[in-house]
Tab-separated table of all heavy atoms in Angstrom:
chain	number	residue	atom	x	y	z
A	778	CYS	N	-0.669	0.735	-0.553
A	778	CYS	CA	0.573	0.923	0.189
A	778	CYS	C	1.745	1.173	-0.753
A	778	CYS	O	2.754	1.746	-0.348
A	778	CYS	CB	0.814	-0.317	1.045
A	778	CYS	SG	2.317	-0.355	2.015
A	779	TYR	N	1.602	0.737	-2.008
A	779	TYR	CA	2.650	0.885	-3.017
A	779	TYR	C	3.983	0.325	-2.520
A	779	TYR	O	5.048	0.891	-2.778
A	779	TYR	CB	2.804	2.355	-3.418
A	779	TYR	CG	1.542	2.939	-3.996
A	779	TYR	CD1	0.744	3.788	-3.241
A	779	TYR	CD2	1.109	2.623	-5.279
A	779	TYR	CE1	-0.443	4.319	-3.764
A	779	TYR	CE2	-0.069	3.135	-5.804
A	779	TYR	CZ	-0.840	3.979	-5.040
A	779	TYR	OH	-2.001	4.495	-5.553
A	780	ASN	N	3.912	-0.782	-1.791
A	780	ASN	CA	5.139	-1.391	-1.240
A	780	ASN	C	5.709	-2.429	-2.195
A	780	ASN	O	5.870	-3.604	-1.856
A	780	ASN	CB	4.866	-1.988	0.142
A	780	ASN	CG	3.729	-3.013	0.128
A	780	ASN	OD1	2.976	-3.115	-0.845
A	780	ASN	ND2	3.602	-3.763	1.210
A	781	TYR	N	6.013	-1.970	-3.393
A	781	TYR	CA	6.679	-2.829	-4.371
A	781	TYR	C	8.177	-2.869	-4.034
A	781	TYR	O	8.605	-2.328	-3.028
A	781	TYR	CB	6.453	-2.294	-5.782
A	781	TYR	CG	4.983	-2.122	-6.123
A	781	TYR	CD1	4.400	-0.858	-6.176
A	781	TYR	CD2	4.182	-3.230	-6.369
A	781	TYR	CE1	3.052	-0.706	-6.472
A	781	TYR	CE2	2.843	-3.091	-6.670
A	781	TYR	CZ	2.266	-1.817	-6.719
A	781	TYR	OH	0.936	-1.669	-7.000
A	782	GLY	N	8.951	-3.504	-4.862
A	782	GLY	CA	10.392	-3.556	-4.614
A	782	GLY	C	10.819	-4.761	-3.825
A	782	GLY	O	11.874	-4.756	-3.179
A	783	TRP	N	9.996	-5.840	-3.846
A	783	TRP	CA	10.340	-7.025	-3.066
A	783	TRP	C	11.550	-7.780	-3.610
A	783	TRP	O	12.031	-8.704	-2.963
A	783	TRP	CB	9.144	-7.970	-2.985
A	783	TRP	CG	8.434	-8.189	-4.284
A	783	TRP	CD1	8.826	-8.962	-5.322
A	783	TRP	CD2	7.195	-7.603	-4.675
A	783	TRP	NE1	7.919	-8.912	-6.343
A	783	TRP	CE2	6.891	-8.077	-5.970
A	783	TRP	CE3	6.297	-6.727	-4.066
A	783	TRP	CZ2	5.747	-7.705	-6.664
A	783	TRP	CZ3	5.151	-6.360	-4.756
A	783	TRP	CH2	4.887	-6.846	-6.039
A	784	LYS	N	12.039	-7.395	-4.790
A	784	LYS	CA	13.237	-8.050	-5.310
A	784	LYS	C	14.513	-7.520	-4.649
A	784	LYS	O	15.583	-8.094	-4.816
A	784	LYS	CB	13.310	-7.889	-6.827
A	784	LYS	CG	12.205	-8.638	-7.566
A	784	LYS	CD	12.360	-8.544	-9.071
A	784	LYS	CE	11.263	-9.327	-9.790
A	784	LYS	NZ	11.393	-9.251	-11.265
A	785	LYS	N	14.380	-6.428	-3.881
A	785	LYS	CA	15.534	-5.899	-3.167
A	785	LYS	C	15.816	-6.766	-1.945
A	785	LYS	O	14.887	-7.223	-1.270
A	785	LYS	CB	15.280	-4.455	-2.739
A	785	LYS	CG	15.062	-3.496	-3.902
A	785	LYS	CD	14.768	-2.089	-3.401
A	785	LYS	CE	14.538	-1.129	-4.567
A	785	LYS	NZ	14.199	0.242	-4.108
A	786	PRO	N	17.089	-7.001	-1.628
A	786	PRO	CA	17.412	-7.903	-0.507
A	786	PRO	C	16.959	-7.392	0.853
A	786	PRO	O	16.707	-8.182	1.761
A	786	PRO	CB	18.939	-8.027	-0.584
A	786	PRO	CG	19.391	-6.824	-1.350
A	786	PRO	CD	18.291	-6.507	-2.320
A	787	ASP	N	16.858	-6.068	1.026
A	787	ASP	CA	16.491	-5.503	2.327
A	787	ASP	C	15.012	-5.133	2.402
A	787	ASP	O	14.607	-4.284	3.199
A	787	ASP	CB	17.346	-4.273	2.629
A	787	ASP	CG	17.212	-3.178	1.554
A	787	ASP	OD1	16.685	-3.494	0.460
A	787	ASP	OD2	17.623	-2.036	1.808
A	788	TYR	N	14.172	-5.765	1.587
A	788	TYR	CA	12.743	-5.439	1.529
A	788	TYR	C	12.065	-5.725	2.868
A	788	TYR	O	12.226	-6.812	3.442
A	788	TYR	CB	12.080	-6.255	0.426
A	788	TYR	CG	10.589	-6.033	0.274
A	788	TYR	CD1	10.104	-4.856	-0.293
A	788	TYR	CD2	9.681	-7.000	0.692
A	788	TYR	CE1	8.745	-4.656	-0.445
A	788	TYR	CE2	8.324	-6.814	0.541
A	788	TYR	CZ	7.858	-5.635	-0.030
A	788	TYR	OH	6.501	-5.431	-0.174
A	789	THR	N	11.322	-4.747	3.377
A	789	THR	CA	10.577	-4.906	4.629
A	789	THR	C	9.068	-4.920	4.417
A	789	THR	O	8.336	-5.365	5.303
A	789	THR	CB	10.908	-3.768	5.608
A	789	THR	OG1	10.455	-2.517	5.064
A	789	THR	CG2	12.416	-3.702	5.877
A	790	GLY	N	8.612	-4.408	3.277
A	790	GLY	CA	7.187	-4.323	3.020
A	790	GLY	C	6.519	-3.098	3.617
A	790	GLY	O	5.325	-2.873	3.381
A	791	HIS	N	7.236	-2.310	4.383
A	791	HIS	CA	6.636	-1.167	5.051
A	791	HIS	C	6.125	-0.122	4.047
A	791	HIS	O	6.767	0.127	3.019
A	791	HIS	CB	7.641	-0.494	5.988
A	791	HIS	CG	8.002	-1.341	7.167
A	791	HIS	ND1	9.126	-1.121	7.935
A	791	HIS	CD2	7.395	-2.421	7.723
A	791	HIS	CE1	9.190	-2.016	8.900
A	791	HIS	NE2	8.155	-2.820	8.783
A	792	CYS	N	4.997	0.465	4.347
A	792	CYS	CA	4.506	1.601	3.560
A	792	CYS	C	5.367	2.812	3.911
A	792	CYS	O	5.622	3.077	5.085
A	792	CYS	CB	3.041	1.885	3.873
A	792	CYS	SG	1.955	0.445	3.822
A	793	SER	N	5.775	3.539	2.914
A	793	SER	CA	6.656	4.683	3.160
A	793	SER	C	5.906	5.793	3.899
A	793	SER	O	4.671	5.849	3.897
A	793	SER	CB	7.205	5.213	1.834
A	793	SER	OG	6.166	5.818	1.077
A	794	LYS	N	6.664	6.685	4.523
A	794	LYS	CA	6.055	7.829	5.202
A	794	LYS	C	5.272	8.687	4.225
A	794	LYS	O	4.213	9.226	4.557
A	794	LYS	CB	7.138	8.664	5.898
A	794	LYS	CG	7.769	7.995	7.098
A	794	LYS	CD	8.787	8.917	7.761
A	794	LYS	CE	9.402	8.246	8.986
A	794	LYS	NZ	10.409	9.141	9.643
A	795	GLU	N	5.782	8.812	2.996
A	795	GLU	CA	5.104	9.623	1.996
A	795	GLU	C	3.772	8.998	1.613
A	795	GLU	O	2.767	9.701	1.461
A	795	GLU	CB	5.992	9.781	0.760
A	795	GLU	CG	5.353	10.532	-0.406
A	795	GLU	CD	5.017	11.980	-0.071
A	795	GLU	OE1	5.487	12.502	0.966
A	795	GLU	OE2	4.277	12.614	-0.859
A	796	VAL	N	3.741	7.687	1.460
A	796	VAL	CA	2.482	7.016	1.129
A	796	VAL	C	1.473	7.183	2.262
A	796	VAL	O	0.292	7.468	2.021
A	796	VAL	CB	2.742	5.528	0.832
A	796	VAL	CG1	1.429	4.735	0.856
A	796	VAL	CG2	3.404	5.370	-0.524
A	797	ARG	N	1.918	7.029	3.495
A	797	ARG	CA	1.002	7.197	4.629
A	797	ARG	C	0.500	8.630	4.716
A	797	ARG	O	-0.669	8.875	5.036
A	797	ARG	CB	1.693	6.782	5.927
A	797	ARG	CG	2.041	5.299	5.985
A	797	ARG	CD	2.331	4.845	7.408
A	797	ARG	NE	3.423	5.582	8.025
A	797	ARG	CZ	4.694	5.224	7.952
A	797	ARG	NH1	5.037	4.147	7.256
A	797	ARG	NH2	5.627	5.936	8.547
A	798	ARG	N	1.379	9.587	4.426
A	798	ARG	CA	0.952	10.990	4.443
A	798	ARG	C	-0.102	11.234	3.369
A	798	ARG	O	-1.107	11.914	3.616
A	798	ARG	CB	2.161	11.909	4.209
A	798	ARG	CG	1.824	13.397	4.275
A	798	ARG	CD	2.915	14.251	3.663
A	798	ARG	NE	3.057	13.995	2.234
A	798	ARG	CZ	2.218	14.481	1.316
A	798	ARG	NH1	1.167	15.217	1.663
A	798	ARG	NH2	2.431	14.211	0.036
A	799	GLN	N	0.117	10.672	2.171
A	799	GLN	CA	-0.864	10.836	1.109
A	799	GLN	C	-2.189	10.160	1.464
A	799	GLN	O	-3.263	10.702	1.187
A	799	GLN	CB	-0.313	10.267	-0.198
A	799	GLN	CG	0.821	11.092	-0.804
A	799	GLN	CD	1.385	10.449	-2.062
A	799	GLN	OE1	1.317	9.235	-2.242
A	799	GLN	NE2	1.939	11.274	-2.936
A	800	ASN	N	-2.116	8.994	2.091
A	800	ASN	CA	-3.345	8.344	2.509
A	800	ASN	C	-4.093	9.163	3.555
A	800	ASN	O	-5.331	9.138	3.610
A	800	ASN	CB	-3.049	6.932	3.045
A	800	ASN	CG	-2.771	5.933	1.935
A	800	ASN	OD1	-3.161	6.137	0.790
A	800	ASN	ND2	-2.090	4.845	2.273
A	801	ASP	N	-3.356	9.889	4.372
A	801	ASP	CA	-4.006	10.770	5.346
A	801	ASP	C	-4.756	11.910	4.652
A	801	ASP	O	-5.740	12.427	5.184
A	801	ASP	CB	-2.975	11.343	6.317
A	801	ASP	CG	-2.431	10.290	7.276
A	801	ASP	OD1	-3.095	9.239	7.435
A	801	ASP	OD2	-1.353	10.508	7.854
A	802	GLU	N	-4.277	12.303	3.479
A	802	GLU	CA	-4.988	13.323	2.713
A	802	GLU	C	-6.342	12.823	2.218
A	802	GLU	O	-7.210	13.636	1.858
A	802	GLU	CB	-4.148	13.772	1.512
A	802	GLU	CG	-2.910	14.577	1.852
A	802	GLU	CD	-2.215	15.074	0.592
A	802	GLU	OE1	-2.917	15.460	-0.369
A	802	GLU	OE2	-0.969	15.064	0.558
A	803	LEU	N	-6.518	11.524	2.174
A	803	LEU	CA	-7.768	10.930	1.705
A	803	LEU	C	-8.724	10.629	2.862
A	803	LEU	O	-9.577	9.740	2.753
A	803	LEU	CB	-7.480	9.644	0.923
A	803	LEU	CG	-6.730	9.814	-0.392
A	803	LEU	CD1	-6.345	8.455	-0.973
A	803	LEU	CD2	-7.572	10.595	-1.400
A	804	LEU	N	-8.605	11.384	3.945
A	804	LEU	CA	-9.491	11.178	5.083
A	804	LEU	C	-10.952	11.248	4.675
A	804	LEU	O	-11.791	10.501	5.184
A	804	LEU	CB	-9.189	12.219	6.168
A	804	LEU	CG	-10.052	12.131	7.433
A	804	LEU	CD1	-9.874	10.793	8.134
A	804	LEU	CD2	-9.726	13.286	8.375
A	805	TRP	N	-11.277	12.115	3.727
A	805	TRP	CA	-12.659	12.233	3.248
A	805	TRP	C	-13.154	10.907	2.659
A	805	TRP	O	-14.336	10.569	2.777
A	805	TRP	CB	-12.761	13.336	2.188
A	805	TRP	CG	-11.857	13.159	1.006
A	805	TRP	CD1	-10.599	13.670	0.846
A	805	TRP	CD2	-12.119	12.388	-0.186
A	805	TRP	NE1	-10.068	13.278	-0.372
A	805	TRP	CE2	-10.977	12.505	-1.026
A	805	TRP	CE3	-13.211	11.637	-0.628
A	805	TRP	CZ2	-10.904	11.878	-2.271
A	805	TRP	CZ3	-13.136	11.004	-1.871
A	805	TRP	CH2	-12.005	11.131	-2.674
A	806	LEU	N	-12.234	10.150	2.035
A	806	LEU	CA	-12.627	8.879	1.435
A	806	LEU	C	-12.874	7.827	2.506
A	806	LEU	O	-13.835	7.053	2.420
A	806	LEU	CB	-11.538	8.409	0.467
A	806	LEU	CG	-11.801	7.093	-0.278
A	806	LEU	CD1	-13.114	7.149	-1.054
A	806	LEU	CD2	-10.654	6.765	-1.221
A	807	TRP	N	-12.023	7.789	3.516
A	807	TRP	CA	-12.209	6.813	4.590
A	807	TRP	C	-13.470	7.134	5.387
A	807	TRP	O	-14.138	6.208	5.873
A	807	TRP	CB	-10.981	6.777	5.500
A	807	TRP	CG	-9.660	6.867	4.779
A	807	TRP	CD1	-8.584	7.622	5.131
A	807	TRP	CD2	-9.267	6.159	3.590
A	807	TRP	NE1	-7.558	7.459	4.246
A	807	TRP	CE2	-7.943	6.563	3.280
A	807	TRP	CE3	-9.898	5.241	2.745
A	807	TRP	CZ2	-7.248	6.082	2.188
A	807	TRP	CZ3	-9.208	4.766	1.640
A	807	TRP	CH2	-7.906	5.173	1.375
A	808	LYS	N	-13.805	8.416	5.510
A	808	LYS	CA	-15.054	8.787	6.192
A	808	LYS	C	-16.277	8.364	5.383
A	808	LYS	O	-17.317	8.023	5.948
A	808	LYS	CB	-15.090	10.300	6.426
A	808	LYS	CG	-14.192	10.806	7.535
A	808	LYS	CD	-14.360	12.307	7.724
A	808	LYS	CE	-13.552	12.828	8.899
A	808	LYS	NZ	-13.701	14.295	9.088
A	809	SER	N	-16.159	8.397	4.065
A	809	SER	CA	-17.294	8.085	3.198
A	809	SER	C	-17.492	6.592	2.998
A	809	SER	O	-18.585	6.157	2.617
A	809	SER	CB	-17.107	8.753	1.828
A	809	SER	OG	-16.987	10.158	1.953
A	810	SER	N	-16.454	5.791	3.242
A	810	SER	CA	-16.509	4.358	2.969
A	810	SER	C	-17.022	3.595	4.186
A	810	SER	O	-16.678	3.913	5.321
A	810	SER	CB	-15.117	3.828	2.598
A	810	SER	OG	-14.569	4.538	1.497
A	811	THR	N	-17.823	2.583	3.935
A	811	THR	CA	-18.251	1.706	5.023
A	811	THR	C	-17.511	0.371	4.985
A	811	THR	O	-17.772	-0.511	5.802
A	811	THR	CB	-19.773	1.471	4.971
A	811	THR	OG1	-20.173	1.140	3.635
A	811	THR	CG2	-20.510	2.733	5.410
A	812	ALA	N	-16.593	0.209	4.049
A	812	ALA	CA	-15.662	-0.921	4.013
A	812	ALA	C	-14.485	-0.518	3.144
A	812	ALA	O	-14.604	0.363	2.279
A	812	ALA	CB	-16.319	-2.188	3.469
A	813	LEU	N	-13.344	-1.150	3.383
A	813	LEU	CA	-12.144	-0.888	2.591
A	813	LEU	C	-11.744	-2.179	1.886
A	813	LEU	O	-11.845	-3.271	2.452
A	813	LEU	CB	-11.004	-0.388	3.480
A	813	LEU	CG	-11.300	0.886	4.296
A	813	LEU	CD1	-10.091	1.258	5.146
A	813	LEU	CD2	-11.696	2.038	3.393
A	814	TYR	N	-11.263	-2.036	0.647
A	814	TYR	CA	-10.980	-3.197	-0.202
A	814	TYR	C	-9.582	-3.127	-0.808
A	814	TYR	O	-9.420	-2.935	-2.012
A	814	TYR	CB	-12.031	-3.295	-1.308
A	814	TYR	CG	-13.436	-3.492	-0.796
A	814	TYR	CD1	-14.330	-2.420	-0.713
A	814	TYR	CD2	-13.882	-4.747	-0.400
A	814	TYR	CE1	-15.629	-2.596	-0.240
A	814	TYR	CE2	-15.179	-4.938	0.070
A	814	TYR	CZ	-16.047	-3.856	0.144
A	814	TYR	OH	-17.323	-4.044	0.610
A	815	PRO	N	-8.524	-3.286	-0.006
A	815	PRO	CA	-7.171	-3.320	-0.570
A	815	PRO	C	-6.944	-4.622	-1.339
A	815	PRO	O	-7.688	-5.598	-1.193
A	815	PRO	CB	-6.277	-3.248	0.666
A	815	PRO	CG	-7.108	-3.871	1.746
A	815	PRO	CD	-8.533	-3.474	1.450
A	816	SER	N	-5.902	-4.636	-2.154
A	816	SER	CA	-5.598	-5.799	-2.989
A	816	SER	C	-4.226	-6.345	-2.634
A	816	SER	O	-3.281	-5.584	-2.401
A	816	SER	CB	-5.629	-5.403	-4.475
A	816	SER	OG	-5.161	-6.469	-5.280
A	817	VAL	N	-4.119	-7.686	-2.608
A	817	VAL	CA	-2.835	-8.330	-2.309
A	817	VAL	C	-2.533	-9.421	-3.336
A	817	VAL	O	-2.013	-10.488	-3.000
A	817	VAL	CB	-2.807	-8.902	-0.876
A	817	VAL	CG1	-2.945	-7.795	0.150
A	817	VAL	CG2	-3.893	-9.955	-0.676
A	818	TYR	N	-2.844	-9.159	-4.601
A	818	TYR	CA	-2.540	-10.129	-5.649
A	818	TYR	C	-1.034	-10.384	-5.683
A	818	TYR	O	-0.234	-9.462	-5.523
A	818	TYR	CB	-2.987	-9.606	-7.018
A	818	TYR	CG	-4.480	-9.366	-7.156
A	818	TYR	CD1	-4.972	-8.599	-8.200
A	818	TYR	CD2	-5.387	-9.913	-6.260
A	818	TYR	CE1	-6.341	-8.379	-8.348
A	818	TYR	CE2	-6.746	-9.701	-6.396
A	818	TYR	CZ	-7.223	-8.926	-7.446
A	818	TYR	OH	-8.572	-8.717	-7.581
A	819	LEU	N	-0.671	-11.625	-5.935
A	819	LEU	CA	0.743	-12.005	-5.958
A	819	LEU	C	1.252	-12.175	-7.376
A	819	LEU	O	0.564	-12.727	-8.235
A	819	LEU	CB	0.959	-13.329	-5.216
A	819	LEU	CG	0.707	-13.372	-3.708
A	819	LEU	CD1	1.181	-14.707	-3.142
A	819	LEU	CD2	1.376	-12.219	-2.988
A	820	GLN	N	2.477	-11.715	-7.601
A	820	GLN	CA	3.196	-12.027	-8.819
A	820	GLN	C	3.999	-13.307	-8.604
A	820	GLN	O	4.277	-13.712	-7.472
A	820	GLN	CB	4.132	-10.880	-9.204
A	820	GLN	CG	3.417	-9.596	-9.590
A	820	GLN	CD	4.371	-8.511	-10.049
A	820	GLN	OE1	5.537	-8.770	-10.333
A	820	GLN	NE2	3.870	-7.289	-10.133
A	821	LEU	N	4.367	-13.946	-9.694
A	821	LEU	CA	5.049	-15.232	-9.607
A	821	LEU	C	6.367	-15.117	-8.851
A	821	LEU	O	6.802	-16.080	-8.197
A	821	LEU	CB	5.289	-15.793	-11.011
A	821	LEU	CG	5.813	-17.224	-11.080
A	821	LEU	CD1	4.824	-18.193	-10.447
A	821	LEU	CD2	6.095	-17.618	-12.529
A	822	SER	N	6.994	-13.960	-8.896
A	822	SER	CA	8.266	-13.787	-8.188
A	822	SER	C	8.104	-13.901	-6.676
A	822	SER	O	9.093	-14.055	-5.953
A	822	SER	CB	8.885	-12.431	-8.539
A	822	SER	OG	8.008	-11.371	-8.196
A	823	LEU	N	6.865	-13.830	-6.195
A	823	LEU	CA	6.612	-13.955	-4.758
A	823	LEU	C	6.137	-15.351	-4.368
A	823	LEU	O	5.763	-15.580	-3.216
A	823	LEU	CB	5.576	-12.920	-4.313
A	823	LEU	CG	6.060	-11.475	-4.236
A	823	LEU	CD1	4.907	-10.524	-3.959
A	823	LEU	CD2	7.132	-11.329	-3.165
A	824	ALA	N	6.130	-16.280	-5.304
A	824	ALA	CA	5.673	-17.637	-5.004
A	824	ALA	C	6.579	-18.281	-3.958
A	824	ALA	O	7.811	-18.247	-4.077
A	824	ALA	CB	5.662	-18.479	-6.280
A	825	ASP	N	5.949	-18.838	-2.925
A	825	ASP	CA	6.678	-19.525	-1.860
A	825	ASP	C	7.821	-18.659	-1.334
A	825	ASP	O	8.937	-19.126	-1.108
A	825	ASP	CB	7.212	-20.871	-2.368
A	825	ASP	CG	7.556	-21.823	-1.230
A	825	ASP	OD1	6.955	-21.678	-0.147
A	825	ASP	OD2	8.415	-22.703	-1.416
């Protein structure tokens, strides 16, 4: 989703339209996959 920028006060976490459009270009990958494995590792700045 590339939704970085959580240090900004108005952060919503939304994936940008451009990112969603690019992900739509990868339709061949979603068709080929039988599971999806996104990552949500946290940096210390997001603690609590």
Side-chain angles (χ1 to χ4, degrees):
C778 178
Y779 300 104
N780 56 347
Y781 305 106
W783 45 76
K784 293 184 179 180
K785 298 178 180 178
D787 58 345
Y788 179 74
T789 65
H791 292 162
C792 311
S793 69
K794 290 182 179 180
E795 176 63 13
V796 165
R797 295 197 302 270
R798 183 196 65 77
Q799 290 177 334
N800 284 338
D801 289 341
E802 290 185 39
L803 294 172
L804 180 61
W805 57 267
L806 181 56
W807 320 136
K808 285 183 176 180
S809 301
S810 304
T811 47
L813 302 179
Y814 298 100
S816 172
V817 297
Y818 298 164
L819 294 189
Q820 294 184 14
L821 188 61
S822 59
L823 286 173
D825 199 26

